[in-house]
Amino acid sequence: MLGGGECPDYWEWSGYTLEKLIITGGNRLTGKVSVSGAKNAAVAIIPAAILCEGVCTIDNLPYIDDVIVLKDILTQIGAKVDLTTDGKMVIDSSGINTYRANYDIVNRMRASYYLIGVLLGRFGKAEVPFPGGCDIGARPIDQHIKGFSALGADIFVEHGIIKASAKRLVGAEIYLDVVSVGATINIMLAAVKAEGNTTIVNAAKEPHVVDVANFLNCMGANVKGAGTDIIRIKGCQQLKGCSYTIIPDQIEAGTFMIAAAATMGDVTVCNVIPKHLESVSAKLVEMGVTVEEMDDCIRVKNNARPKKVNIKTLPYPGFPTDLQQPMSTLLSIAEGTSVITENVWEARYKHIEEIKKMGAKVKIEDRVAIIEGVPKLYGAPVTASDLRAGAALVIAGLMAHGKTEISNVKYIDRGYENIEQKLIKLGADIVRVKE
Ligand code: UD1
């Protein structure tokens, strides 16, 4: 089985400054916060733009490191890319003249695997180094490979580079052995340019899978069924440029909802699609938190220690693994003992050792975390090991007594736009300093 990459040297890129966040906990978060565009949609839709040779304009992108890295990747292979800090990217991919992506850049993010699908779709060939990204357990891409092979591509790995080539891509029926967001999207990306029909069975149903399908259709593709577990794609020869606005980030929204509950706050999280957050809202309500859904906002109010709950992470519409770390941190101050089962990523408990330094009482047994709620956490120096662990530690810092210093902030910046500015506006006491 092909294995995934890790990102031990993520912050060692040239020009990178090590920074930390210092949070003085105890402030109640109140007010309104607006959620940025979805990172996980952005990291697929930006590369998808090169499936056409025209100009695509993508709006509502989060201004985060993963988006900036993708701009660099596309520029390096010959596209003209403009990105503004308000989240608009214009991609002219007419000048792309290579199917080879460079290790130095690709190593900087996990979702660079989408380059395989789009380069295969565009050139019938792709050479892409194994992706980087967060270390949250083994990150195989065998289902991506299975899909590309079914479409007629030959794939092998040489010196850490995935090499794929196909004389012709031909549609096929592909059954995914595991529900994989990445494989579902990657196969869609290649299949829109294949001859004939492709069916993906046991497809992922995440909102960003639907968003990518909508973007591909906006470019003239024919993708049906995204959001269900069977996606049908009719291949076409040419796609055209288009303008597209991506969906709000469900995980960022969930992070603010949890932060509101954790600080006994009253926060209205705006620019969200409440349906995407149903599993999170349901758990918060079970914990005794008040959640009020409006058209494109969710108000979260809390005035007591949350009640214990049990959570199992699952593919959408189940509880998202990406919010397990923030949620388990909130549960560390719940009344009673909560049990979390992490079904998606086996090593997604690295934040637990850190919150234990702050007074949390947690036992990990394989994929299960048993969290015995304590009345309070206490500030301490802690280290973010990955993106969502970083978000969890921010929540821990906000609800703790005293000062928390979080190192490796660059992980957090991969996925959250202006996190401390947004929290400061809600009343948090956070400063960013150089390490
Ligand atoms: C995406 C999200 C990530 C989220 C995850 C699960 C992006 C950029 N990242 O990651 O934030 O945590 O979905 O919701 O969208 N698997 C295989 N073989 C494969 C592919 C996956 O066995 O070929 C397994 C993985 O080990 C994991 C599970 O399937 O246990 C889900 O992985 P997948 O949905 O593919 O995650 P990503 O797309 O990498």
Side-chain angles (χ1 to χ4, degrees), residues 1-2 39-41 43-44 66 109-114 136-146 176-185 204 206 208 251 314-316 320-323 342-346 348 367 387-388 414:
M1 187 189 281
L2 295 164
K39 162 189 167 285
N40 287 347
V43 297
D66 273 11
M109 67 183 296
R110 168 73 185 164
S112 50
Y113 51 42
Y114 292 135
I136 51 176
R139 302 192 77 168
I141 57 167
D142 56 298
Q143 298 302 304
H144 306 229
I145 307 284
K146 174 180 170 176
L176 295 181
D177 302 330
V178 291
V179 179
S180 159
V181 171
T184 303
I185 292 179
E206 267 67 2
H208 42 290
I251 305 302
L314 288 168
Y316 188 82
T321 169
D322 288 354
L323 287 173
E342 173 52 71
N343 289 311
V344 183
W345 301 114
E346 74 272 22
R348 212 165 201 183
R367 284 174 178 264
L387 166 59
R388 306 301 170 187
R414 277 192 50 212

Side-chain angles (χ1 to χ4, degrees), residues 154-264:
D154 289 324
I155 311 222
F156 64 100
V157 179
E158 197 175 59
H159 309 305
I161 295 175
I162 302 160
K163 299 189 173 180
S165 67
K167 284 208 179 78
R168 295 158 60 213
L169 286 177
V170 181
E173 174 157 331
I174 299 154
Y175 174 83
L176 295 181
D177 302 330
V178 291
V179 179
S180 159
V181 171
T184 303
I185 292 179
N186 228 344
I187 295 166
M188 279 197 308
L189 294 175
V192 288
K193 295 295 288 294
E195 288 170 30
N197 299 335
T198 297
T199 308
I200 307 173
V201 184
N202 199 25
K205 296 181 277 206
E206 267 67 2
H208 42 290
V209 173
V210 180
D211 210 33
V212 177
N214 288 341
F215 174 69
L216 292 169
N217 288 340
C218 184
M219 288 203 294
N222 186 334
V223 181
K224 293 200 169 117
T228 74
D229 51 16
I230 299 190
I231 299 180
R232 295 179 203 281
I233 302 150
K234 248 188 209 164
C236 67
Q237 282 198 328
Q238 241 187 344
L239 297 175
K240 58 180 190 328
C242 71
S243 293
Y244 192 78
T245 301
I246 68 163
I247 52 168
D249 196 303
Q250 142 214 27
I251 305 302
E252 188 196 1
T255 306
F256 283 117
M257 290 166 69
I258 294 167
T263 58
M264 312 294 158

Side-chain angles (χ1 to χ4, degrees), residues 257-259 261-263 284 287 289 302 306 325-334 355 395 399:
M257 290 166 69
I258 294 167
T263 58
L284 287 173
M287 291 160 83
V289 176
N302 189 27
Q325 292 152 299
M327 195 57 131
S328 48
T329 301
L330 169 58
L331 287 173
S332 71
I333 57 148
I355 62 169
I395 288 170
M399 65 191 195

Side-chain angles (χ1 to χ4, degrees), residues 70-140:
L70 273 166
K71 172 183 185 264
D72 292 348
I73 292 177
L74 295 196
T75 305
Q76 199 180 60
I77 61 173
K80 275 196 205 136
V81 189
D82 279 329
L83 172 65
T84 55
T85 49
D86 62 353
K88 180 178 187 148
M89 189 183 272
V90 181
I91 304 167
D92 176 353
S93 47
S94 55
I96 294 182
N97 52 17
T98 177
Y99 53 84
R100 292 195 175 99
N102 190 310
Y103 172 80
D104 295 341
I105 298 195
V106 167
N107 183 44
R108 284 159 53 181
M109 67 183 296
R110 168 73 185 164
S112 50
Y113 51 42
Y114 292 135
L115 289 168
I116 310 171
V118 296
L119 290 169
L120 252 184
R122 172 136 173 191
F123 295 109
K125 278 188 172 189
E127 290 190 11
V128 179
F130 262 112
C134 284
D135 179 10
I136 51 176
R139 302 192 77 168

